[in-house]
Coordinates of all heavy atoms in Angstrom, one line a residue:
C320 N 81.9 -134.7 -96.4 CA 81.6 -133.8 -97.5 C 82.2 -132.4 -97.4 O 82.2 -131.8 -96.3 CB 80.0 -133.7 -97.6 SG 79.2 -135.2 -98.0
N321 N 82.7 -131.9 -98.5 CA 83.3 -130.5 -98.5 C 82.2 -129.6 -98.9 O 81.1 -129.9 -99.3 CB 84.5 -130.4 -99.4 CG 85.7 -131.2 -99.0 OD1 86.0 -131.1 -97.8 ND2 86.3 -132.0 -99.8
H322 N 82.6 -128.3 -98.7 CA 81.6 -127.2 -98.8 C 81.6 -126.5 -100.2 O 82.7 -126.4 -100.8 CB 81.9 -126.1 -97.7 CG 81.2 -124.8 -97.9 ND1 79.9 -124.6 -97.6 CD2 81.6 -123.7 -98.5 CE1 79.5 -123.4 -97.9 NE2 80.6 -122.8 -98.4
T323 N 80.4 -126.1 -100.6 CA 80.3 -125.1 -101.7 C 79.1 -124.3 -101.5 O 78.3 -124.5 -100.6 CB 80.2 -125.9 -103.1 OG1 80.4 -125.0 -104.1 CG2 78.8 -126.6 -103.2
N324 N 78.9 -123.3 -102.4 CA 77.7 -122.4 -102.3 C 76.4 -123.2 -102.6 O 76.5 -124.1 -103.4 CB 77.8 -121.2 -103.3 CG 78.9 -120.2 -102.7 OD1 78.9 -119.9 -101.6 ND2 79.6 -119.7 -103.7
G325 N 75.4 -122.9 -102.0 CA 74.1 -123.5 -102.3 C 73.1 -123.4 -101.3 O 73.0 -122.3 -100.6
L326 N 72.3 -124.4 -101.0 CA 71.3 -124.4 -100.0 C 71.5 -125.6 -99.1 O 72.1 -126.6 -99.4 CB 69.9 -124.5 -100.6 CG 69.5 -123.3 -101.5 CD1 68.1 -123.7 -102.2 CD2 69.3 -122.0 -100.7
I327 N 71.0 -125.5 -97.8 CA 71.0 -126.6 -96.9 C 70.2 -127.8 -97.5 O 69.0 -127.6 -97.8 CB 70.5 -126.2 -95.5 CG1 71.3 -125.2 -94.9 CG2 70.3 -127.5 -94.6 CD1 72.7 -125.6 -94.5
T328 N 70.8 -129.0 -97.6 CA 70.2 -130.1 -98.1 C 70.2 -131.3 -97.2 O 70.0 -132.5 -97.6 CB 70.8 -130.6 -99.5 OG1 72.2 -130.8 -99.3 CG2 70.6 -129.5 -100.5
T329 N 70.4 -131.0 -96.0 CA 70.5 -132.1 -94.9 C 69.5 -131.8 -93.8 O 69.3 -130.7 -93.5 CB 71.9 -132.2 -94.3 OG1 72.9 -132.4 -95.2 CG2 72.0 -133.3 -93.2
G330 N 68.7 -132.9 -93.5 CA 67.8 -132.8 -92.4 C 67.8 -134.0 -91.6 O 68.6 -134.9 -91.7
Y331 N 66.9 -134.1 -90.6 CA 66.8 -135.3 -89.8 C 65.4 -135.9 -89.8 O 64.4 -135.2 -89.7 CB 67.1 -134.9 -88.3 CG 67.5 -136.1 -87.5 CD1 68.8 -136.5 -87.4 CD2 66.5 -136.9 -86.9 CE1 69.2 -137.7 -86.8 CE2 66.9 -138.1 -86.2 CZ 68.3 -138.4 -86.2 OH 68.6 -139.6 -85.5
N332 N 65.3 -137.2 -90.1 CA 64.1 -137.9 -90.3 C 63.8 -138.6 -88.9 O 64.5 -139.6 -88.5 CB 64.3 -139.0 -91.4 CG 63.0 -139.7 -91.7 OD1 62.2 -139.9 -90.8 ND2 62.8 -140.1 -92.9
L333 N 62.9 -138.0 -88.2 CA 62.6 -138.5 -86.9 C 61.9 -139.8 -86.9 O 62.0 -140.7 -86.0 CB 61.7 -137.4 -86.1 CG 62.4 -136.4 -85.4 CD1 61.4 -135.4 -84.8 CD2 63.4 -136.9 -84.3
E334 N 61.1 -140.1 -88.0 CA 60.4 -141.3 -88.1 C 61.3 -142.5 -88.2 O 61.2 -143.5 -87.5 CB 59.4 -141.3 -89.3 CG 58.6 -142.5 -89.4 CD 57.6 -142.4 -90.6 OE1 57.5 -141.3 -91.2 OE2 57.0 -143.4 -90.9
D335 N 62.3 -142.3 -89.1 CA 63.4 -143.4 -89.3 C 64.6 -143.2 -88.4 O 65.5 -144.0 -88.4 CB 63.8 -143.4 -90.7 CG 62.7 -143.8 -91.6 OD1 61.8 -144.7 -91.2 OD2 62.6 -143.4 -92.8
D336 N 64.6 -142.1 -87.6 CA 65.6 -141.8 -86.7 C 67.0 -141.8 -87.3 O 67.9 -142.5 -86.9 CB 65.6 -142.7 -85.5 CG 66.3 -142.2 -84.3 OD1 66.5 -140.9 -84.2 OD2 66.7 -142.9 -83.4
R337 N 67.1 -141.0 -88.3 CA 68.4 -140.9 -89.1 C 68.6 -139.5 -89.7 O 67.7 -138.8 -90.1 CB 68.5 -142.0 -90.1 CG 67.5 -141.8 -91.3 CD 67.5 -143.1 -92.2 NE 66.8 -142.8 -93.4 CZ 66.5 -143.7 -94.4 NH1 67.0 -144.9 -94.2 NH2 65.8 -143.3 -95.5
C338 N 69.9 -139.2 -89.9 CA 70.2 -138.0 -90.6 C 70.2 -138.3 -92.1 O 70.7 -139.3 -92.5 CB 71.6 -137.5 -90.1 SG 72.2 -136.1 -91.0
E339 N 69.6 -137.4 -92.9 CA 69.5 -137.6 -94.3 C 70.0 -136.4 -95.1 O 69.8 -135.3 -94.7 CB 68.0 -137.9 -94.7 CG 67.4 -139.1 -94.1 CD 66.0 -139.4 -94.5 OE1 65.4 -138.5 -95.1 OE2 65.6 -140.6 -94.3
C340 N 70.6 -136.7 -96.2 CA 71.2 -135.7 -97.1 C 70.8 -136.0 -98.6 O 70.9 -137.1 -99.0 CB 72.7 -135.7 -97.0 SG 73.4 -134.3 -97.9
V341 N 70.2 -134.9 -99.2 CA 69.9 -135.0 -100.7 C 70.9 -134.3 -101.4 O 71.6 -133.4 -100.9 CB 68.5 -134.5 -100.9 CG1 67.4 -135.3 -100.2 CG2 68.4 -133.0 -100.6
A342 N 71.1 -134.6 -102.7 CA 72.1 -134.0 -103.5 C 71.8 -132.5 -103.8 O 70.7 -132.1 -104.1 CB 72.2 -134.8 -104.8
L343 N 72.8 -131.7 -103.6 CA 72.7 -130.3 -103.8 C 72.5 -129.9 -105.3 O 71.8 -129.0 -105.6 CB 74.0 -129.6 -103.3 CG 74.1 -128.1 -103.4 CD1 73.0 -127.4 -102.6 CD2 75.5 -127.6 -103.0
Q344 N 73.0 -130.8 -106.2 CA 72.9 -130.5 -107.6 C 73.0 -131.9 -108.3 O 73.3 -132.9 -107.7 CB 74.0 -129.6 -108.1 CG 75.4 -130.1 -107.8 CD 76.5 -129.0 -108.0 OE1 76.4 -128.0 -107.4 NE2 77.5 -129.4 -108.7
D345 N 73.0 -131.9 -109.7 CA 73.3 -133.1 -110.4 C 74.8 -133.4 -110.3 O 75.6 -132.5 -110.5 CB 72.9 -132.9 -111.9 CG 71.4 -132.9 -112.1 OD1 70.6 -133.3 -111.2 OD2 70.9 -132.4 -113.1
Y346 N 75.1 -134.6 -110.1 CA 76.5 -135.1 -110.1 C 76.7 -136.2 -111.1 O 75.8 -137.2 -111.1 CB 76.8 -135.6 -108.7 CG 76.9 -134.5 -107.6 CD1 76.0 -134.4 -106.6 CD2 77.9 -133.5 -107.7 CE1 76.0 -133.4 -105.7 CE2 78.0 -132.5 -106.7 CZ 77.0 -132.4 -105.7 OH 77.1 -131.4 -104.8
K347 N 77.7 -136.1 -111.8 CA 78.1 -137.2 -112.7 C 79.1 -138.2 -112.0 O 79.7 -137.8 -111.0 CB 78.7 -136.6 -114.0 CG 77.8 -135.8 -114.9 CD 76.7 -136.6 -115.5 CE 75.9 -135.7 -116.4 NZ 74.8 -136.5 -117.0
E348 N 79.2 -139.3 -112.5 CA 80.2 -140.3 -112.0 C 81.5 -139.7 -111.9 O 81.9 -139.0 -112.8 CB 80.2 -141.5 -112.8 CG 81.1 -142.6 -112.2 CD 81.1 -143.9 -113.0 OE1 80.3 -143.9 -114.0 OE2 81.9 -144.8 -112.7
N349 N 82.2 -139.8 -110.8 CA 83.5 -139.2 -110.5 C 83.5 -137.8 -110.1 O 84.6 -137.2 -109.8 CB 84.5 -139.4 -111.7 CG 84.8 -140.9 -111.9 OD1 84.9 -141.7 -111.0 ND2 84.9 -141.3 -113.2
D350 N 82.4 -137.1 -110.0 CA 82.2 -135.8 -109.5 C 82.4 -135.8 -108.0 O 82.0 -136.8 -107.3 CB 80.9 -135.1 -109.9 CG 80.9 -134.7 -111.3 OD1 81.9 -134.7 -112.0 OD2 79.8 -134.3 -111.7
Q351 N 83.0 -134.7 -107.5 CA 83.0 -134.6 -106.0 C 81.6 -134.1 -105.5 O 81.0 -133.3 -106.1 CB 84.0 -133.6 -105.5 CG 84.1 -133.5 -104.0 CD 85.1 -132.5 -103.4 OE1 85.3 -132.4 -102.2 NE2 85.9 -132.0 -104.2
I352 N 81.1 -134.7 -104.4 CA 79.8 -134.4 -103.9 C 80.0 -133.4 -102.8 O 80.7 -133.6 -101.8 CB 79.1 -135.7 -103.3 CG1 78.9 -136.7 -104.4 CG2 77.8 -135.3 -102.7 CD1 78.4 -138.1 -103.9
Y353 N 79.4 -132.2 -103.0 CA 79.5 -131.2 -102.0 C 78.2 -131.0 -101.2 O 77.1 -131.4 -101.7 CB 79.8 -129.8 -102.7 CG 81.2 -129.7 -103.4 CD1 81.3 -130.0 -104.7 CD2 82.2 -129.3 -102.6 CE1 82.5 -129.8 -105.3 CE2 83.5 -129.2 -103.2 CZ 83.6 -129.5 -104.6 OH 84.9 -129.4 -105.1
I354 N 78.3 -130.4 -100.1 CA 77.2 -129.9 -99.3 C 77.4 -128.4 -99.0 O 78.5 -127.9 -99.2 CB 76.8 -130.7 -98.0 CG1 78.1 -130.6 -97.1 CG2 76.5 -132.1 -98.3 CD1 77.8 -131.3 -95.7
F355 N 76.4 -127.7 -98.5 CA 76.4 -126.4 -98.1 C 76.5 -126.3 -96.6 O 75.6 -126.7 -95.9 CB 75.2 -125.6 -98.7 CG 75.2 -124.2 -98.3 CD1 76.2 -123.3 -98.6 CD2 74.1 -123.6 -97.6 CE1 76.1 -121.9 -98.3 CE2 74.0 -122.3 -97.3 CZ 75.0 -121.4 -97.7
Y356 N 77.6 -125.7 -96.1 CA 77.7 -125.6 -94.6 C 76.9 -124.6 -94.0 O 76.7 -124.6 -92.7 CB 79.2 -125.4 -94.3 CG 80.1 -126.5 -94.4 CD1 79.8 -127.7 -95.1 CD2 81.4 -126.4 -94.1 CE1 80.6 -128.7 -95.3 CE2 82.4 -127.4 -94.4 CZ 82.0 -128.6 -94.9 OH 82.9 -129.6 -95.1
G357 N 76.3 -123.6 -94.7 CA 75.6 -122.5 -94.1 C 76.1 -121.2 -94.6 O 77.2 -121.1 -95.2
T358 N 75.4 -120.2 -94.2 CA 75.8 -118.8 -94.6 C 76.9 -118.2 -93.7 O 76.7 -117.2 -93.0 CB 74.5 -117.9 -94.6 OG1 74.0 -117.9 -93.3 CG2 73.5 -118.3 -95.6
R359 N 78.0 -118.8 -93.7 CA 79.1 -118.4 -92.8 C 80.0 -117.5 -93.6 O 80.3 -117.6 -94.7 CB 79.9 -119.6 -92.3 CG 79.1 -120.6 -91.6 CD 79.9 -121.8 -91.2 NE 79.1 -122.8 -90.5 CZ 79.6 -124.0 -90.1 NH1 80.8 -124.3 -90.2 NH2 78.7 -124.9 -89.5
S360 N 80.6 -116.5 -92.8 CA 81.6 -115.6 -93.4 C 82.9 -116.4 -93.5 O 83.1 -117.5 -92.9 CB 81.8 -114.4 -92.5 OG 82.4 -114.8 -91.3
N361 N 83.9 -115.8 -94.3 CA 85.2 -116.5 -94.3 C 85.9 -116.5 -93.0 O 86.7 -117.3 -92.7 CB 86.0 -115.8 -95.4 CG 85.8 -116.5 -96.8 OD1 85.8 -117.8 -96.8 ND2 85.8 -115.8 -97.8
A362 N 85.7 -115.4 -92.2 CA 86.2 -115.4 -90.8 C 85.8 -116.6 -90.1 O 86.5 -117.2 -89.3 CB 85.9 -114.1 -90.1
E363 N 84.5 -116.9 -90.1 CA 83.9 -118.1 -89.5 C 84.5 -119.3 -90.0 O 84.8 -120.3 -89.2 CB 82.4 -118.0 -89.5 CG 81.8 -116.9 -88.7 CD 80.3 -116.7 -89.0 OE1 79.9 -116.9 -90.2 OE2 79.5 -116.4 -88.1
F364 N 84.6 -119.4 -91.3 CA 85.2 -120.6 -91.9 C 86.7 -120.8 -91.4 O 87.1 -122.0 -91.1 CB 85.2 -120.5 -93.4 CG 83.9 -120.9 -94.1 CD1 83.3 -120.2 -95.1 CD2 83.3 -122.1 -93.6 CE1 82.1 -120.5 -95.7 CE2 82.0 -122.5 -94.2 CZ 81.5 -121.7 -95.2
V365 N 87.5 -119.8 -91.4 CA 88.9 -119.9 -91.0 C 89.0 -120.3 -89.6 O 89.7 -121.1 -89.2 CB 89.6 -118.5 -91.2 CG1 91.0 -118.5 -90.6 CG2 89.7 -118.3 -92.8
I366 N 88.2 -119.6 -88.7 CA 88.3 -119.8 -87.2 C 87.8 -121.2 -86.8 O 88.4 -121.9 -86.0 CB 87.6 -118.7 -86.5 CG1 88.3 -117.4 -86.7 CG2 87.6 -119.0 -85.0 CD1 87.6 -116.2 -86.2
H367 N 86.6 -121.5 -87.4 CA 85.9 -122.8 -86.9 C 86.1 -124.0 -87.8 O 85.9 -125.1 -87.3 CB 84.4 -122.4 -86.7 CG 84.2 -121.4 -85.7 ND1 84.5 -121.4 -84.5 CD2 83.6 -120.1 -85.9 CE1 84.2 -120.3 -83.8 NE2 83.6 -119.5 -84.7
N368 N 86.5 -123.8 -89.1 CA 86.6 -124.9 -90.0 C 88.0 -125.1 -90.5 O 88.3 -126.1 -91.1 CB 85.6 -124.8 -91.2 CG 84.2 -124.8 -90.7 OD1 83.6 -123.8 -90.4 ND2 83.6 -126.0 -90.7
G369 N 88.8 -124.1 -90.4 CA 90.2 -124.2 -90.9 C 90.4 -124.0 -92.4 O 91.5 -124.5 -92.9
F370 N 89.5 -123.3 -93.1 CA 89.8 -123.1 -94.5 C 89.2 -121.7 -94.9 O 88.3 -121.2 -94.3 CB 89.2 -124.2 -95.4 CG 87.7 -124.3 -95.4 CD1 86.9 -123.5 -96.3 CD2 87.0 -125.2 -94.6 CE1 85.5 -123.6 -96.3 CE2 85.7 -125.3 -94.6 CZ 84.9 -124.5 -95.5
F371 N 89.7 -121.2 -96.0 CA 89.1 -120.0 -96.6 C 88.5 -120.4 -97.9 O 89.0 -121.1 -98.8 CB 90.3 -119.1 -96.9 CG 89.8 -117.8 -97.6 CD1 89.5 -116.6 -96.9 CD2 89.8 -117.7 -99.0 CE1 89.1 -115.5 -97.5 CE2 89.4 -116.5 -99.6 CZ 89.1 -115.4 -98.9
F372 N 87.2 -120.0 -98.1 CA 86.4 -120.3 -99.3 C 86.4 -119.1 -100.3 O 85.7 -118.1 -100.0 CB 85.1 -120.7 -98.9 CG 84.2 -121.2 -100.0 CD1 84.6 -122.3 -100.8 CD2 83.0 -120.7 -100.4 CE1 83.9 -122.9 -101.9 CE2 82.3 -121.2 -101.5 CZ 82.7 -122.3 -102.2
Q373 N 87.1 -119.2 -101.4 CA 87.3 -118.1 -102.2 C 86.1 -117.6 -102.9 O 85.9 -116.4 -103.1 CB 88.3 -118.5 -103.4 CG 88.8 -117.4 -104.2 CD 89.8 -116.5 -103.4 OE1 90.8 -117.0 -102.9 NE2 89.6 -115.2 -103.4
E374 N 85.1 -118.5 -103.2 CA 83.9 -118.1 -103.9 C 82.8 -117.9 -102.9 O 81.6 -118.1 -103.3 CB 83.5 -119.1 -104.9 CG 84.5 -119.2 -106.1 CD 85.7 -120.1 -105.8 OE1 85.5 -121.0 -105.0 OE2 86.8 -119.8 -106.3
N375 N 83.0 -117.5 -101.7 CA 82.0 -117.4 -100.6 C 81.0 -116.3 -101.0 O 81.3 -115.1 -100.9 CB 82.6 -117.1 -99.3 CG 81.7 -117.3 -98.2 OD1 80.5 -117.5 -98.3 ND2 82.1 -117.1 -96.9
A376 N 79.7 -116.7 -101.3 CA 78.7 -115.8 -101.7 C 78.1 -115.1 -100.4 O 77.3 -114.1 -100.6 CB 77.6 -116.5 -102.4
H377 N 78.5 -115.5 -99.3 CA 77.9 -115.0 -98.0 C 79.0 -114.3 -97.2 O 78.7 -114.1 -96.0 CB 77.3 -116.1 -97.2 CG 76.2 -116.8 -98.0 ND1 75.0 -116.3 -98.2 CD2 76.2 -118.0 -98.7 CE1 74.2 -117.2 -99.0 NE2 75.0 -118.2 -99.3
D378 N 80.1 -114.0 -97.7 CA 81.2 -113.4 -96.9 C 80.8 -112.0 -96.5 O 80.0 -111.3 -97.2 CB 82.5 -113.3 -97.8 CG 83.7 -113.1 -96.9 OD1 83.6 -113.3 -95.7 OD2 84.8 -112.8 -97.4
R379 N 81.2 -111.6 -95.4 CA 80.8 -110.3 -94.8 C 81.8 -109.9 -93.7 O 82.5 -110.7 -93.2 CB 79.4 -110.4 -94.2 CG 79.3 -111.5 -93.2 CD 77.8 -111.8 -92.9 NE 77.7 -112.9 -91.9 CZ 77.6 -114.2 -92.2 NH1 77.6 -114.5 -93.5 NH2 77.4 -115.1 -91.3
V380 N 81.8 -108.6 -93.4 CA 82.5 -108.1 -92.2 C 81.5 -107.4 -91.3 O 80.5 -107.0 -91.7 CB 83.6 -107.1 -92.7 CG1 84.6 -107.7 -93.5 CG2 83.0 -105.9 -93.4
K381 N 81.9 -107.4 -90.0 CA 81.1 -106.8 -89.0 C 81.3 -105.3 -88.8 O 82.4 -104.8 -89.0 CB 81.3 -107.6 -87.7 CG 80.9 -109.0 -87.7 CD 81.2 -109.7 -86.4 CE 82.6 -109.9 -86.1 NZ 82.9 -110.7 -85.0
I382 N 80.2 -104.6 -88.5 CA 80.3 -103.2 -88.2 C 79.4 -102.9 -87.0 O 78.2 -103.2 -87.1 CB 80.0 -102.3 -89.5 CG1 80.1 -100.9 -89.1 CG2 78.6 -102.6 -89.9 CD1 80.0 -100.0 -90.3
K383 N 80.0 -102.3 -86.0 CA 79.2 -102.0 -84.8 C 78.7 -100.6 -84.9 O 79.5 -99.6 -85.1 CB 80.1 -102.2 -83.6 CG 79.3 -102.0 -82.3 CD 80.1 -102.4 -81.0 CE 79.2 -102.3 -79.7 NZ 80.0 -102.6 -78.6
L384 N 77.4 -100.4 -84.8 CA 76.7 -99.1 -84.9 C 75.7 -98.9 -83.8 O 75.1 -99.9 -83.3 CB 76.0 -98.9 -86.3 CG 76.9 -99.0 -87.5 CD1 76.0 -99.0 -88.7 CD2 77.9 -97.8 -87.5
G385 N 75.6 -97.7 -83.4 CA 74.6 -97.4 -82.3 C 74.2 -96.0 -82.3 O 75.0 -95.1 -82.6
V386 N 73.1 -95.7 -81.7 CA 72.7 -94.3 -81.5 C 73.1 -93.9 -80.1 O 72.9 -94.6 -79.1 CB 71.1 -94.1 -81.6 CG1 70.7 -92.7 -81.3 CG2 70.6 -94.6 -82.9
S387 N 73.9 -92.8 -80.0 CA 74.5 -92.4 -78.8 C 73.4 -92.0 -77.8 O 72.5 -91.2 -78.2 CB 75.4 -91.2 -79.0 OG 75.9 -90.7 -77.7
K388 N 73.4 -92.4 -76.6 CA 72.4 -92.1 -75.6 C 72.5 -90.6 -75.2 O 71.5 -90.0 -74.6 CB 72.5 -92.9 -74.3 CG 72.2 -94.4 -74.7 CD 72.2 -95.2 -73.3 CE 71.7 -96.6 -73.6 NZ 71.6 -97.5 -72.5
S389 N 73.6 -90.0 -75.5 CA 73.7 -88.6 -75.2 C 73.2 -87.6 -76.3 O 73.1 -86.5 -76.1 CB 75.2 -88.2 -74.9 OG 76.0 -88.5 -76.1
E390 N 72.8 -88.3 -77.4 CA 72.3 -87.4 -78.5 C 70.9 -86.9 -78.1 O 70.1 -87.6 -77.5 CB 72.1 -88.3 -79.8 CG 71.7 -87.6 -81.0 CD 71.5 -88.4 -82.2 OE1 72.1 -89.5 -82.2 OE2 70.7 -88.1 -83.1
R391 N 70.6 -85.7 -78.5 CA 69.4 -85.1 -78.2 C 68.1 -85.8 -78.7 O 67.1 -85.9 -78.0 CB 69.3 -83.6 -78.8 CG 68.1 -82.8 -78.4 CD 68.2 -81.4 -78.9 NE 68.2 -81.4 -80.4 CZ 67.1 -81.3 -81.2 NH1 65.9 -81.4 -80.6 NH2 67.2 -81.3 -82.5
L392 N 68.3 -86.4 -79.9 CA 67.1 -87.1 -80.5 C 67.1 -88.7 -80.1 O 66.4 -89.4 -80.8 CB 67.1 -86.9 -82.0 CG 67.0 -85.5 -82.4 CD1 67.1 -85.4 -84.0 CD2 65.7 -84.9 -82.0
Y393 N 67.9 -89.0 -79.1 CA 68.1 -90.5 -78.9 C 66.7 -91.2 -78.7 O 66.4 -92.2 -79.2 CB 69.0 -90.7 -77.6 CG 69.0 -92.2 -77.2 CD1 69.7 -93.1 -77.9 CD2 68.2 -92.6 -76.1 CE1 69.7 -94.5 -77.5 CE2 68.2 -93.9 -75.7 CZ 68.9 -94.8 -76.4 OH 68.9 -96.2 -76.1
A394 N 65.9 -90.6 -77.7 CA 64.6 -91.3 -77.4 C 63.8 -91.5 -78.6 O 63.1 -92.6 -78.8 CB 63.9 -90.4 -76.3
M395 N 63.7 -90.5 -79.5 CA 62.8 -90.6 -80.6 C 63.4 -91.6 -81.6 O 62.6 -92.5 -82.2 CB 62.7 -89.3 -81.4 CG 62.0 -88.2 -80.5 SD 62.0 -86.5 -81.4 CE 60.8 -86.8 -82.6
K396 N 64.7 -91.6 -81.9 CA 65.3 -92.6 -82.8 C 65.1 -94.0 -82.2 O 64.9 -95.0 -83.0 CB 66.8 -92.2 -83.0 CG 67.0 -91.0 -83.8 CD 68.4 -90.7 -84.1 CE 68.6 -89.4 -84.9 NZ 70.0 -89.2 -85.2
A397 N 65.4 -94.1 -80.9 CA 65.3 -95.5 -80.3 C 63.8 -96.0 -80.4 O 63.7 -97.2 -80.6 CB 65.7 -95.4 -78.8
E398 N 62.9 -95.2 -80.3 CA 61.4 -95.6 -80.4 C 61.1 -96.0 -81.9 O 60.5 -97.1 -82.0 CB 60.5 -94.5 -79.9 CG 59.0 -94.8 -80.0 CD 58.7 -96.0 -79.2 OE1 59.4 -96.3 -78.2 OE2 57.7 -96.7 -79.5
V399 N 61.5 -95.3 -82.8 CA 61.3 -95.6 -84.2 C 62.0 -97.0 -84.5 O 61.4 -97.9 -85.1 CB 61.8 -94.5 -85.2 CG1 61.7 -95.1 -86.7 CG2 61.0 -93.3 -85.0
L400 N 63.2 -97.1 -84.1 CA 63.9 -98.4 -84.3 C 63.2 -99.5 -83.6 O 63.1 -100.6 -84.1 CB 65.4 -98.3 -83.8 CG 66.3 -97.4 -84.7 CD1 67.6 -97.2 -83.9 CD2 66.5 -98.1 -86.0
A401 N 62.7 -99.3 -82.3 CA 62.1 -100.3 -81.6 C 60.8 -100.8 -82.3 O 60.5 -102.0 -82.3 CB 61.7 -99.8 -80.2
R402 N 60.1 -99.8 -82.9 CA 58.8 -100.2 -83.6 C 59.2 -101.1 -84.8 O 58.3 -101.8 -85.3 CB 58.1 -98.9 -84.1 CG 57.5 -98.2 -82.8 CD 56.7 -97.0 -83.3 NE 56.1 -96.2 -82.2 CZ 55.3 -95.2 -82.3 NH1 54.8 -94.9 -83.5 NH2 54.9 -94.5 -81.3
A403 N 60.4 -100.9 -85.4 CA 60.8 -101.7 -86.5 C 61.5 -103.0 -86.1 O 61.9 -103.8 -86.9 CB 61.7 -100.9 -87.4
G404 N 61.6 -103.2 -84.8 CA 62.2 -104.5 -84.3 C 63.7 -104.4 -84.4 O 64.4 -105.5 -84.5
I405 N 64.3 -103.2 -84.4 CA 65.7 -103.1 -84.5 C 66.4 -102.4 -83.3 O 65.8 -101.4 -82.8 CB 66.1 -102.2 -85.7 CG1 65.5 -102.8 -87.0 CG2 67.6 -102.0 -85.9 CD1 65.6 -101.9 -88.3
P406 N 67.4 -103.0 -82.7 CA 68.0 -102.5 -81.5 C 68.7 -101.1 -81.8 O 69.1 -100.8 -83.0 CB 69.0 -103.5 -81.1 CG 69.3 -104.3 -82.3 CD 68.1 -104.3 -83.1
S407 N 68.8 -100.2 -80.8 CA 69.4 -99.0 -81.1 C 70.9 -99.1 -81.1 O 71.6 -98.1 -81.4 CB 69.0 -98.0 -79.9 OG 69.3 -98.5 -78.7
S408 N 71.4 -100.2 -80.7 CA 72.9 -100.5 -80.8 C 73.1 -101.9 -81.1 O 72.5 -102.8 -80.4 CB 73.6 -100.1 -79.5 OG 75.0 -100.4 -79.5
S409 N 73.9 -102.2 -82.1 CA 74.0 -103.6 -82.5 C 75.2 -103.8 -83.5 O 75.8 -102.8 -83.9 CB 72.7 -104.1 -83.2 OG 72.8 -105.5 -83.5
I410 N 75.5 -105.0 -83.7 CA 76.6 -105.3 -84.7 C 75.9 -105.8 -86.0 O 75.1 -106.7 -86.0 CB 77.5 -106.5 -84.2 CG1 78.3 -106.0 -83.0 CG2 78.4 -106.9 -85.3 CD1 79.2 -107.1 -82.4
F411 N 76.2 -105.1 -87.1 CA 75.5 -105.3 -88.4 C 76.6 -105.9 -89.3 O 77.7 -106.1 -88.9 CB 75.0 -104.0 -89.0 CG 73.9 -103.4 -88.1 CD1 74.2 -102.4 -87.2 CD2 72.6 -103.8 -88.3 CE1 73.2 -101.8 -86.4 CE2 71.5 -103.2 -87.5 CZ 71.9 -102.3 -86.6
A412 N 76.2 -106.3 -90.5 CA 77.1 -106.9 -91.4 C 77.2 -106.1 -92.7 O 76.2 -105.5 -93.2 CB 76.7 -108.4 -91.7

Side-chain angles (χ1 to χ4, degrees):
C320 295
N321 289 317
H322 166 80
T323 193
N324 288 319
L326 298 171
I327 296 293
T328 56
T329 303
Y331 201 89
N332 185 326
L333 276 175
E334 184 177 351
D335 294 330
D336 202 20
R337 66 188 192 184
C338 178
E339 296 183 345
C340 185
V341 300
L343 180 62
Q344 61 193 48
D345 289 341
Y346 292 108
K347 297 292 185 182
E348 185 179 354
N349 294 321
D350 284 350
Q351 182 176 180
I352 301 173
Y353 292 96
I354 61 174
F355 178 60
Y356 288 6
T358 57
R359 300 179 184 178
S360 68
N361 268 320
E363 291 169 323
F364 278 136
V365 170
I366 295 170
H367 302 296
N368 296 89
F370 67 84
F371 178 90
F372 187 57
Q373 192 69 52
E374 294 81 31
N375 191 356
H377 305 281
D378 202 12
R379 57 194 177 271
V380 297
K381 295 178 288 189
I382 180 170
K383 187 173 184 179
L384 298 173
V386 182
S387 173
K388 292 186 178 181
S389 62
E390 183 183 338
R391 183 176 64 86
L392 300 176
Y393 171 78
M395 296 176 72
K396 290 182 178 181
E398 179 60 25
V399 174
L400 289 169
R402 292 185 184 185
I405 301 173
S407 58
S408 179
S409 185
I410 296 176
F411 298 93

